[in-house]
Amino acid sequence: MTDTRHHPPRRLPIRMCARCQRFTQDPVLVHEHHGATGPGFNVYACQECAPHYPPPADELNPSADAPS
C-alpha cells in the first residue's frame, strides 16, 4: 500500500522577466499571446518591471479597450 501522507515539496513557479531577463519567483502576467495556428504563450515580468507594461488588452474583444 502507498503512503499518501507524505507529498514531495511543491515547486514554486519561476519565470523570467521579459524586460530585465532576471528570474523571479513572483511573476506578474503582463501579456497573453494568442497563437492562430498553435498554442499561445504568456509573457511575465518581475514585480519591479511590471508597472512599465500597459494593462493587458482583450484581444478577443478589441472594442472593450477603445476609448468612449
Side-chain angles (χ1 to χ4, degrees):
M1 191 181 268
T2 306
D3 185 5
T4 58
R5 292 178 294 166
H6 300 288
H7 298 285
R10 187 172 172 215
R11 288 181 43 178
L12 296 173
I14 297 176
R15 303 285 188 254
M16 187 175 73
C17 176
R19 185 168 185 260
C20 68
Q21 283 77 48
R22 288 183 294 164
F23 288 99
T24 177
Q25 292 184 356
D26 296 317
V28 177
L29 179 64
V30 294
H31 184 68
E32 293 178 335
H33 181 76
H34 298 279
T37 59
F41 60 91
N42 295 329
V43 178
Y44 294 94
C46 63
Q47 295 286 332
E48 294 83 23
C49 293
H52 295 280
Y53 286 89
D58 185 0
E59 294 181 12
L60 301 177
N61 187 8
S63 61
D65 297 321
S68 11

